[in-house]
Amino acid sequence: MKQFLTLDDLPDLDRAINEGIALKKEPYKWEALGKQKTLGMLFFNPSLRTRLSTQKAAQQLGIKTMIMNFSNEAWALEYEDGTQMSGLRSEHIREAAAVISQYCDVVAIRAFASLTDKEKDEQELVLSSFIKYATIPVINMESATAHPLQALADAITLKERQQNKRPKIVLTWAPHPKALPHAVGNSFARMIQKIEADFVIAQPEGYELNPEITGNTPLVYNQEKAFQGADFVYAKNWCSYSDYGKILKTDDEWMVTAEKMKLTNKAKFMHCLPIRRNIVAEDAVLDSPNSLVIEQANNRTFAAQVVLKKILEHG
Ligand code: CP
């Protein structure tokens, strides 16, 4: 695998899931593979899980890591060509990406959506500029429109926990006080479309995800109806896509509660974290034995390990 920008870069999702499960049993089996290799991890936004799990995945493969927070440590980057750089931006992406390529064998990047300019966000300016000017493989650690490492970890979690061949999986919008990007919802939807499942997305009117991503997935506007018979409930907030970046209303009644979970088929509860307790989901849901949120976070390591391994194997 040459790069990992979306789940579509994985040659075979089912195989990758099984590799993740195998790596969990023998995390150091491929420790020699990354000897004398360096992963650069560039953060334009905060992270707990992505940073630590990807670093751990690298360590288990024998890869050294270099981490930089671009929000406060690096020079501010200019992305436009031909511009006279008289403003606050001190370094052009052309040099930055080329220089990082001298120090690292692989570069992983986190750069969220601005949520102010849909067109620019969909162009993935930061990620696509690194792809253009770096001479090493690029990994997406959550971009404006996709979070494929999270989706692969979620796929591993679903495979480990599913009890029937075709589970009912509900992706439900949940309230949040801040406008959040669509990346997790997008990648989760893309991933579920690649596995065997009855999949529905529940959201209030106006919060539909990009129709190019949801495709033929049934959209339900009644959360309680969607929950009926569900085997998995995946909660996530995202801002409006059609009225881009806006919170239309908080819709507190969309919080996932223990009472609503009773409508399901004893569903497992999933969320990518971080989660705002008693806003997105009640304490009783998060603290229930049916909550998989910590398992999902643990599986982030093995998802990242599969991706790094495939990139190193490509050479
Ligand atoms: N789920 C996830 O990506 O967590 P972080 O933002 O903490 O990395």
Side-chain angles (χ1 to χ4, degrees):
M1 191 166 69
K2 280 195 293 198
Q3 59 184 9
F4 185 66
L5 309 178
T6 73
L7 278 184
D8 291 339
D9 288 312
L10 282 175
D12 183 332
L13 175 62
D14 201 44
R15 201 164 162 178
I17 294 168
N18 290 334
E19 278 187 59
I21 292 169
L23 282 166
K24 203 169 177 176
K25 293 189 187 114
E26 290 184 279
Y28 289 96
K29 184 173 176 186
W30 303 94
E31 200 178 358
L33 191 64
K35 195 164 185 270
Q36 298 182 5
K37 300 288 183 192
T38 301
L39 169 68
M41 298 171 63
L42 316 183
F43 289 90
F44 293 79
N45 303 97
S47 168
L48 188 160
R49 280 142 291 273
T50 304
R51 176 168 171 164
L52 297 184
S53 64
T54 307
Q55 201 174 6
K56 184 167 183 192
Q59 284 168 1
Q60 288 175 175
L61 288 168
I63 305 169
K64 300 223 167 23
T65 52
M66 295 201 292
I67 303 177
M68 193 157 205
N69 282 314
F70 267 69
S71 54
N72 60 0
E73 291 176 346
W75 302 111
L77 294 183
E78 175 60 61
Y79 294 91
E80 267 192 45
D81 279 334
T83 187
Q84 189 181 33
M85 290 171 56
S86 57
L88 294 173
R89 296 170 184 228
S90 308
E91 175 146 35
H92 202 279
I93 181 68
R94 285 174 177 260
E95 284 77 45
V99 167
I100 290 162
S101 304
Q102 310 303 305
Y103 307 144
C104 302
D105 301 284
V106 181
V107 64
I109 295 157
R110 165 165 282 204
F112 289 172
S114 68
L115 299 180
T116 55
D117 186 329
K118 186 192 269 190
E119 203 175 319
K120 273 199 180 153
D121 283 347
E122 295 198 330
Q123 285 166 359
E124 296 279 16
L125 178 68
V126 177
L127 193 66
S128 59
S129 300
F130 273 96
I131 294 161
K132 191 168 176 188
Y133 297 118
T135 54
I136 54 178
V138 176
I139 294 176
N140 180 355
M141 292 196 296
E142 188 172 342
S143 65
T145 64
H147 195 357
L149 285 172
Q150 180 67 52
L152 180 54
D154 294 338
I156 292 169
T157 312
L158 287 167
K159 178 85 179 255
E160 288 179 321
R161 288 308 208 127
Q162 75 181 70
Q163 289 184 342
N164 52 7
K165 200 163 154 30
R166 194 177 171 83
K168 178 175 176 183
I169 301 173
V170 180
L171 169 62
T172 181
W173 183 94
H176 199 281
K178 281 176 65 185
L180 295 187
H182 308 93
V184 170
N186 287 347
S187 289
F188 187 77
R190 287 269 198 228
M191 180 273 287
I192 301 293
Q193 289 157 359
K194 291 173 187 278
I195 66 171
E196 204 174 331
D198 282 328
F199 181 42
V200 299
I201 304 177
Q203 71 276 288
E205 300 237 14
Y207 282 111
E208 298 83 359
L209 290 166
N210 180 351
E212 284 181 23
I213 287 173
T214 53
N216 295 328
T217 303
L219 305 182
V220 180
Y221 297 96
N222 180 327
Q223 193 184 40
E224 297 187 3
K225 190 173 165 203
F227 276 28
Q228 282 165 17
D231 298 298
F232 294 91
V233 169
Y234 195 107
K236 184 71 186 87
N237 171 270
W238 55 84
C239 62
S240 176
Y241 178 75
S242 52
D243 195 358
Y244 193 66
K246 300 281 186 320
I247 296 180
L248 306 179
K249 49 182 178 149
T250 49
D251 286 298
D252 293 341
E253 67 271 24
W254 279 70
M255 177 169 71
V256 180
T257 62
E259 203 54 36
K260 286 182 200 167
M261 291 296 280
K262 285 184 189 160
L263 298 168
T264 69
N265 181 26
K266 297 187 180 134
K268 304 291 184 201
F269 176 78
M270 299 178 74
H271 189 280
C272 63
L273 303 183
I275 189 165
R276 292 194 183 222
R277 281 177 171 255
N278 303 309
I279 299 274
V280 174
E282 273 186 342
D283 284 341
V285 174
L286 277 163
D287 298 334
S288 142
N290 280 351
S291 171
L292 300 183
V293 298
I294 306 302
E295 286 180 37
Q296 288 173 261
N298 185 36
N299 284 334
R300 290 293 307 272
T301 301
F302 308 102
Q305 211 168 325
V306 169
V307 167
L308 286 166
K309 179 172 170 284
K310 286 188 180 302
I311 286 176
L312 289 185
E313 283 169 343
H314 185 267

